Amino acid sequence: MEKKMNNREKEKQELSVIMTCLMVICGSCVFIALLRALLFSMGEEALPWPQPLPDLVTLGIMAACCVLIYRMLHHVRHGQVFVRKNAHLIIWVGVLVEVNGILQQVCHYFIPTEGVDSQVYMIYILLGVFFLFIGCLFKLAVYIKEEQELTI
């Protein structure tokens, strides 16, 4: 019995480390995008107004994803891993990434950027679908867990 508790604590710590790494990566991406947007808008090669718009959209969505990942990390730290709240947060991350891909695609058609292929934004759409799929699987895992807890 004590060995099971030790394994559960170890799994919680590993999950917490993974979530912290994801949050740090997401926060770093937000910082880099913000720095890039500021440098382009202030530098000698300042871009005309609509050109930084796709970067600003991505920046806002990445900031929102960072907040959602932080909420998931908060739940994990309190021992709430397989709960509906986390499943919904994963689905929201997927929706936001999907929306980012669609908005990037629309911005690319109306505000052409040099050196960026329109297919690059398909990665965001594919990643959003992947997160939505993982969120649905997570939701199913929560349902199975709840059913198992009700079984004697």
Side-chain angles (χ1 to χ4, degrees):
M1 186 70 161
E2 190 174 308
K3 190 174 184 179
K4 278 187 179 180
M5 293 301 287
N6 193 14
N7 284 340
R8 286 184 184 169
E9 290 298 321
K10 186 176 179 182
E11 288 174 2
K12 284 182 185 178
Q13 287 176 345
E14 288 175 357
L15 195 55
S16 180
V17 167
I18 290 170
M19 295 298 285
T20 303
C21 289
L22 286 174
M23 191 177 69
V24 166
I25 289 169
C26 196
S28 299
C29 290
V30 169
F31 177 73
I32 289 169
L34 180 62
L35 187 64
R36 181 173 175 226
L38 287 174
L39 290 177
F40 274 137
S41 65
M42 298 173 81
E44 291 178 13
E45 302 172 2
L47 298 173
W49 160 238
Q51 293 241 332
L53 185 63
D55 286 340
L56 294 175
V57 167
T58 300
L59 176 66
I61 288 178
M62 284 185 347
C65 287
C66 192
V67 169
L68 294 176
I69 290 172
Y70 178 78
R71 292 295 305 158
M72 279 190 284
L73 178 61
H74 177 73
H75 294 152
V76 169
R77 285 188 177 152
H78 290 291
Q80 300 172 338
V81 180
F82 288 103
V83 293
R84 290 189 189 274
K85 293 183 275 189
N86 286 346
H88 291 296
L89 289 172
I90 292 171
I91 289 172
W92 272 107
V93 168
V95 167
L96 287 175
V97 172
E98 188 81 22
V99 166
N100 184 39
I102 293 168
L103 289 176
Q104 292 297 326
Q105 199 71 10
V106 168
C107 285
H108 178 74
Y109 286 120
F110 290 113
I111 309 167
T113 53
E114 295 177 21
V116 178
D117 187 22
S118 66
Q119 298 300 319
V120 171
Y121 305 120
M122 293 301 287
I123 294 171
Y124 288 115
I125 295 171
L126 182 62
L127 190 61
V129 168
F130 177 73
F131 271 109
L132 288 171
F133 177 72
I134 295 297
C136 289
L137 285 179
F138 205 86
K139 212 172 189 180
L140 181 63
V142 169
Y143 175 75
I144 291 171
K145 177 188 170 254
E146 288 173 352
E147 286 294 318
Q148 186 182 24
E149 287 176 351
L150 293 175
T151 305
I152 298 178

